[in-house]
Amino acid sequence: MSTASSDAATDSAVPGEQEARPRGVRRLTLPAGVRPYLAPLALYGVTKLVGLTVFAFLLEAAGDYQKKNPRFGGGAHWWDVLATWDGWWYLQVAEKGYDPRPLERLDSEGLFTVKQNSVAFFPLYPGLIRGVSEATGLGLFGSGILVSVVASFVAAAGIYAVISLLAGARAGTIAAGLWAVAPGAGVEWAVYSESLFVAIAAWCCYCVMKRRWVAAGLLAFVAGLNRPTSAALIGAVGLAALVTLARRESRREHGVAGPVYAMVAAPLGLLTYVAWVGLSMGDLTAYFTLQREGWAHYFDFGAYTLDVLGNTAVGHHDYLFAFSVPDLLAVQLVLALPFLIALMLRRKPPLVLVAYTLASIVTVLGTQQMFGNTPRYLLPCFPLLLAPAAAMSRLKWPSLLVFFSTAALASGWYAHYVMFELGIP
């Protein structure tokens, strides 16, 4: 009797709903595949927006940017700071393209012995800036910010996809939020190529984990056109493919053609660009010479990192590119790396994530470069977020709200202002 009554009530209610809804109006529904990404992208976007707002407030309160060269951390408006330093170079490439002349020697015996050249900056990001500008009518600055912001959301979605496979959707959402407040995260919404690279790297690792070898090979190829540090990703993809081929059961399950394709395609982007620079400048090692003698960036097996750590331990700054506040934050991050690595390995992530993360860390810590930028250089190491995100997923949302609110506010200083105004990003 009650069942019949409820059925009748349901049947009578449906026509009433249909009559109340205007004709031609349908309920808006998102595809099922999109819905899981709403929470992580919302958390990422709100957290980043809070950090950027705090950054703008600090810039205006200090006012120092108005006294600086527009190319070196200054500008007429606070947002101009987001396109300085490396951003200036990317906009130059987007506007004028490359001018790969032979290396021009400087009459100097100091740190820099060759003139800087825009070919040191890989073409994918400035190419997208130019393409978006042509397609939308936006200026190059606006297009650069747009590319970075969109890429950052794609990256956050990729981080969610990877972490959720290993630790669940809640941990994936938290990982996306953690990436928004990570040290160095200030460049995610600036005219820098980090967001684009992490977007490619995260989805490339996801494709390897899902054994989509063709997509993984293509993404690694594209990554090689974006940053030289793509070598870590390329190596990780190649190693995962090689291990797959070496095991009889995995060969039977996944075949041979896909892993072989990924191994062959992955390094071609990086090799092609470096070779083009060398041939265009009349010296096959021109790219590496330019980095070493034009920017003082080169692999020194960690000697510079040890020099900075030793100086910081005794309160000295007798090393290249010394910036006290950014360097101190970078030292704290470096000291936390062994703990983060151990926690990550304890979760037993797939080989591609382990190889990619460890190779990236070795590359960063083994290279002489501005030590204060170490948080930015480590920003692509998103697998380090696996263990913290998994642990934090046990917290209730009120506790998480307090954490992310505090971290978002603080990130406006340590992840944005410190990098752009107290150092050189």
Side-chain angles (χ1 to χ4, degrees):
M1 182 72 176
S2 60
T3 303
S5 300
S6 62
D7 289 344
T10 302
D11 291 341
S12 63
V14 171
E17 286 183 3
Q18 291 177 344
E19 291 173 5
R21 190 180 303 153
R23 291 184 178 181
V25 176
R26 297 182 179 180
R27 184 178 298 168
L28 180 63
T29 57
L30 293 171
V34 175
R35 292 174 200 162
Y37 294 94
L38 292 181
L41 293 184
L43 177 61
Y44 174 79
V46 171
T47 305
K48 281 299 303 176
L49 190 59
V50 171
L52 186 66
T53 302
V54 172
F55 177 45
F57 173 80
L58 292 174
L59 285 174
E60 293 292 355
D64 295 337
Y65 74 94
Q66 297 173 343
K67 307 169 189 175
K68 295 182 179 180
N69 188 312
R71 180 178 168 182
F72 303 118
H77 310 284
W78 70 264
W79 55 82
D80 292 329
V81 176
L82 300 173
T84 56
W85 301 107
D86 284 4
W88 181 87
W89 283 102
Y90 281 121
L91 293 180
Q92 289 293 302
V93 176
E95 180 183 2
K96 303 174 183 177
Y98 292 115
D99 184 18
R101 301 177 181 178
L103 289 171
E104 184 178 339
R105 293 286 170 181
L106 300 175
D107 186 16
S108 170
E109 296 181 358
L111 184 62
F112 305 108
T113 58
V114 300
K115 185 177 180 180
Q116 295 178 340
N117 190 296
S118 61
V119 296
F121 296 85
F122 277 50
L124 181 63
Y125 179 61
L128 286 175
I129 293 176
R130 181 61 177 264
V132 169
S133 180
E134 295 286 347
T136 64
L138 283 174
L140 293 176
F141 171 81
S143 297
I145 295 294
L146 179 60
V147 171
S148 291
V149 170
V150 172
S152 74
F153 279 97
V154 176
I159 292 171
Y160 166 82
V162 170
I163 302 301
S164 62
L165 275 180
L166 304 174
R170 188 180 179 89
T173 298
I174 293 170
L178 289 175
W179 193 64
V181 298
V187 297
E188 292 172 10
W189 284 10
V191 186
Y192 276 68
S193 64
E194 270 76 8
S195 289
L196 181 59
F197 178 74
V198 176
I200 298 169
W203 284 108
C204 180
C205 290
Y206 177 82
C207 288
V208 172
M209 293 166 64
K210 301 292 282 187
R211 295 300 186 262
R212 298 171 184 169
W213 292 108
V214 173
L218 285 173
L219 287 170
F221 167 82
V222 173
L225 297 173
N226 188 57
R227 293 183 65 83
T229 51
S230 60
L233 178 65
I234 293 166
V237 171
L239 180 60
L242 186 62
V243 170
T244 299
L245 292 172
R247 295 172 178 170
R248 181 180 300 176
E249 60 275 11
S250 60
R251 286 201 308 271
R252 290 176 178 175
E253 182 180 356
H254 305 293
V256 173
V260 169
Y261 172 84
M263 291 176 62
V264 173
L268 293 181
L270 177 62
L271 294 176
T272 299
Y273 182 69
V274 171
W276 175 80
V277 171
L279 293 172
S280 300
M281 301 184 77
D283 178 2
L284 289 179
T285 63
Y287 179 82
F288 305 101
T289 303
L290 181 61
Q291 285 283 8
R292 183 186 182 102
E293 300 184 30
W295 269 273
H297 288 188
Y298 62 94
F299 194 79
D300 66 352
F301 299 93
Y304 176 71
T305 298
L306 292 175
D307 188 23
V308 176
L309 293 176
N311 270 273
T312 304
V314 295
H316 294 173
H317 296 90
D318 187 21
Y319 56 89
L320 292 173
F321 311 126
F323 296 94
S324 57
V325 176
D327 292 350
L328 184 58
L329 293 177
V331 165
Q332 293 174 349
L333 178 58
V334 169
L335 294 178
L337 281 178
F339 183 60
L340 292 173
I341 293 171
L343 291 178
M344 179 190 71
L345 295 177
R346 190 169 180 268
R347 300 286 306 187
K348 297 180 179 179
L351 175 62
V352 66
L353 296 182
V354 174
Y356 166 64
T357 304
L358 296 183
S360 297
I361 292 172
V362 168
T363 300
V364 172
L365 299 187
T367 300
Q368 176 181 287
Q369 48 202 354
M370 291 185 181
F371 190 80
N373 283 345
T374 299
R376 171 165 81 90
Y377 300 140
L378 291 174
L379 201 58
C381 297
F382 67 90
L384 292 175
L385 302 175
L386 171 59
M392 291 177 66
S393 67
R394 304 187 188 99
L395 299 175
K396 301 293 185 181
W397 278 115
S399 299
L400 292 173
L401 179 61
V402 172
F403 170 80
F404 279 109
S405 298
T406 305
L409 290 169
S411 71
W413 178 73
Y414 70 77
H416 293 75
Y417 188 83
V418 168
M419 179 170 293
F420 280 94
E421 285 298 288
L422 302 184
I424 299 177

